[in-house]
């Protein structure tokens, strides 16, 4: 579904925020549409969405997608580098090293 949503947005100009887009993709994937529809409009799904939005705000994320490393009680923003995953991994390793606790790389 995640791949389908990415393709829907970037290649098909469909709005990934619209429930109708999710239902269309569920149908294309051959999912049980009745169950999918019930799940996507459920209060549990809405609550999880609100929880994720609140977490995004609490983390002071700078965009979507974003990467925040939580190590114990320390949160570290890791800049997303689409061209070099190694650079992101290096920053994660640095953030996990004892000598750099509390630094922010974002």
């Amino acid at each position: 579904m995640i791949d389908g949503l990415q393709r829907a947005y970037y290649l098909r100009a469909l709005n990934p925020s619209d429930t109708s887009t999710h239902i269309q993709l569920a149908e294309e994937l051959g999912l049980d549409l009745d169950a999918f529809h019930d799940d996507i409009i459920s209060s549990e799904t809405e609550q999880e969405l609100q929880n994720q939005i609140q977490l995004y705000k609490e983390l002071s994320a700078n965009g979507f997608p974003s990467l925040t490393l939580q190590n114990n009680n320390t949160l570290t923003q890791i800049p997303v580098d689409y061209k070099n995953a190694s650079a992101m991994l290096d920053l994660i390793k640095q953030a996990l090293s004892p000598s750099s606790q509390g630094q922010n790389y974002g």
Side-chain angles (χ1 to χ4, degrees):
M1 181 59 91
I2 293 171
D3 181 62
L5 285 167
Q6 292 290 316
R7 291 177 184 278
Y9 180 72
Y10 290 108
L11 301 177
R12 299 167 62 184
L14 298 174
N15 187 342
S17 298
D18 288 345
T19 301
S20 61
T21 299
H22 289 252
I23 291 172
Q24 178 181 344
L25 294 173
E27 183 176 25
E28 291 171 8
L29 291 170
L31 301 180
D32 179 335
L33 290 183
D34 290 332
F36 185 85
H37 181 268
D38 290 347
D39 288 343
I40 201 166
I41 65 167
S42 72
S43 59
E44 292 87 358
T45 300
E46 178 61 28
Q47 184 59 52
E48 182 58 29
L49 173 62
Q50 295 308 317
N51 291 345
Q52 292 295 315
I53 291 170
Q54 182 61 35
L55 177 61
Y56 177 84
K57 291 176 182 177
E58 289 172 12
L59 295 176
S60 300
N62 296 324
F64 180 81
S66 62
L67 178 59
T68 302
L69 173 68
Q70 180 178 359
N71 184 22
N72 299 318
N73 293 326
T74 302
L75 297 174
T76 304
Q77 298 291 327
I78 306 293
V80 176
D81 187 338
Y82 295 101
K83 295 181 180 179
N84 187 358
S86 296
M88 293 170 33
L89 184 56
D90 289 344
L91 289 174
I92 291 168
K93 289 176 182 176
Q94 287 175 21
L96 292 173
S97 73
S99 63
S100 65
Q101 294 298 311
Q103 292 184 12
N104 191 324
Y105 298 96

